[in-house]
Amino acid sequence: MCAAYLQLCLCVCMQTIRPKEGWQVYSSAQDADGRCICTVVAPEQNLCSRDAKGRQLRQLLEKVQNMSQSIEVLNLRTQRDFQYIMRMESQIKGLRSKFRQIESDRKTLVNKNFQELKGKMETLQPLIPVLEQYRTDAKLISQFKEEIRNLSGVLMGIQEEMGAYDYEELQQRVLNLENRLRSCMSKLTCGKLMKITGPLTVKTSGTRFGAWMTDPQASPKNNRVWYMDSYTNNKIVKEYKSIADFVAGVESRTYNLPFKWAGTNHVVYNGSLYYNKMQSNIIVRYSFETGRVVTQRALESAGFHNVYPYTWGGFSDIDLMADELGLWAVYATNQNAGNIVISQLNPNTLQIINTWNTEYSKRNAGESFMICGTLYITNSHLTGAKVYYAYSTKTSTYEYTDIPFHNQYFHMSMLDYNARDRALYGWNNGHQVLFNVTLFHIIKTEDDS
């Protein structure tokens, strides 16, 4: 059962997690300094064989099995000895008749019968150790029987103590617990950004400026990559079936868009490409399935063509992005004095659902990205940049932050969050890179509602 509040993160704790025997780790959490603060664990499906009672039962059953095997060996041996004794019995009867004959005519037959008797006695000599072993084995069998009676009593006691919880019922209880934990973990869809690590350099290609992305709405088996080099005068989109094909340079398809794009702040969402049409504030939705423009709509009052770009320029006036909550546009207007405006868009019609005005200057922002309805803004596109400002659309409030990230190749012209991969995709001076993110979660259970 989930605790009243579980604090979890999406990164792997640096400290080694050692759960108790019979339990497995589902997730772990860190604080802002990277220290593990909690762990979600669940019993393994074979918990019955690993708890104390299960171990005791297993040991007792193994002991009974071993004794049963020993008894079987002793039984075979005693049967063999018994057959040997039966054969000797006839010889003993023969000796008795010989003794009687000797008594009746001891004078005439003494010498002959003595030699015959001596031979018979030598034949019976091996019977002595057989009889001794038989007596020992019989005693051992008696001891084993007594111990089995004792073990049966112990097993009955354990069964009574465990009551009605047989293996099948315990197995079902474990499965139910796992389902509840998975339900709890499924609530880990949103959180507050705490840390950025990396980057991992995936590939080096193209010009200093560009964009690459995957679809956060795609199924886990669909790992197509789209690649858009440069920030202007281009309308060629390259598609790769997987990250591996992207690294190897194996294209699966090329799209020739009807309009050239402006900037590098495009996004693929649910099978469609959303981009800013060159020299306009028009947003274009292009379907990869049909190879046609589905919708295009002007973003009213939004600056374009380097009126309100990010610090690096590049016609980055309109930034399209997606997160766990949907599709977003980040831009600036004259009405908001060139400060950043956030609008949530309908992904089908491109109509504005809601809008928030911030007080952060668009021209002073290096890049920005959305996570769980919060816009995170970097203070530069150059070395030493950090996430400096965060605006929550849920509470319509902002805060100043200090979350550094490693700008390895000195110039960042694209930084977008992918909710499926829980990672930041970046174009870092001609290098396609990935950053890991650590999110802080607070989960309320049904018991707290």
Side-chain angles (χ1 to χ4, degrees), residues 91-103:
Q91 296 185 32
I92 292 172
K93 289 178 181 179
L95 281 174
R96 287 176 181 173
S97 64
K98 291 294 182 184
F99 277 118
R100 293 192 191 99
Q101 188 178 354
I102 290 171
E103 284 293 328

Side-chain angles (χ1 to χ4, degrees), residues 262-301:
T264 59
N265 307 117
H266 331 295
V267 65
V268 174
Y269 186 78
N270 199 24
S272 293
L273 170 68
Y274 298 82
Y275 70 96
N276 178 206
K277 185 178 178 180
M278 185 177 173
Q279 295 185 350
S280 74
N281 60 4
I282 294 174
I283 300 174
V284 178
R285 178 192 172 198
Y286 178 88
S287 170
F288 286 126
E289 183 178 358
T290 63
R292 296 185 178 185
V293 172
V294 179
T295 312
Q296 55 179 317
R297 184 181 295 275
L299 193 59
E300 189 176 350
S301 301

Side-chain angles (χ1 to χ4, degrees), residues 192-215:
K192 181 179 180 181
L193 179 65
M194 301 298 293
K195 188 177 181 181
I196 301 175
T197 55
L200 168 67
T201 302
V202 177
K203 188 177 182 179
T204 301
S205 64
T207 64
R208 294 180 64 197
F209 319 99
W212 72 293
M213 64 213 81
T214 59
D215 188 345

Side-chain angles (χ1 to χ4, degrees), residues 48 57 159 162-173:
C48 289
L57 277 171
Q159 187 176 3
M162 294 181 73
Y165 297 116
D166 58 11
Y167 178 80
E168 288 76 13
E169 186 170 351
L170 288 174
Q171 183 81 350
Q172 188 59 47
R173 286 165 64 89

Side-chain angles (χ1 to χ4, degrees), residues 106-173:
R106 83 175 60 173
K107 293 180 179 180
T108 57
L109 300 174
V110 166
N111 187 48
K112 181 181 177 182
N113 288 332
F114 178 76
Q115 294 300 327
E116 188 178 349
L117 178 62
K118 184 179 179 180
K120 293 293 184 182
M121 290 300 295
E122 289 176 353
T123 305
L124 291 173
Q125 189 72 23
L127 182 61
I128 297 173
V130 170
L131 290 172
E132 291 177 351
Q133 183 65 47
Y134 183 84
R135 193 183 305 117
T136 303
D137 289 348
K139 184 178 180 181
L140 238 118
I141 290 174
S142 177
Q143 291 175 352
F144 275 139
K145 287 181 178 178
E146 181 63 25
E147 193 163 353
I148 286 176
R149 278 195 293 269
N150 294 337
L151 286 174
S152 298
V154 174
L155 290 172
M156 289 294 293
I158 292 175
Q159 187 176 3
E160 289 176 1
E161 186 176 344
M162 294 181 73
Y165 297 116
D166 58 11
Y167 178 80
E168 288 76 13
E169 186 170 351
L170 288 174
Q171 183 81 350
Q172 188 59 47
R173 286 165 64 89

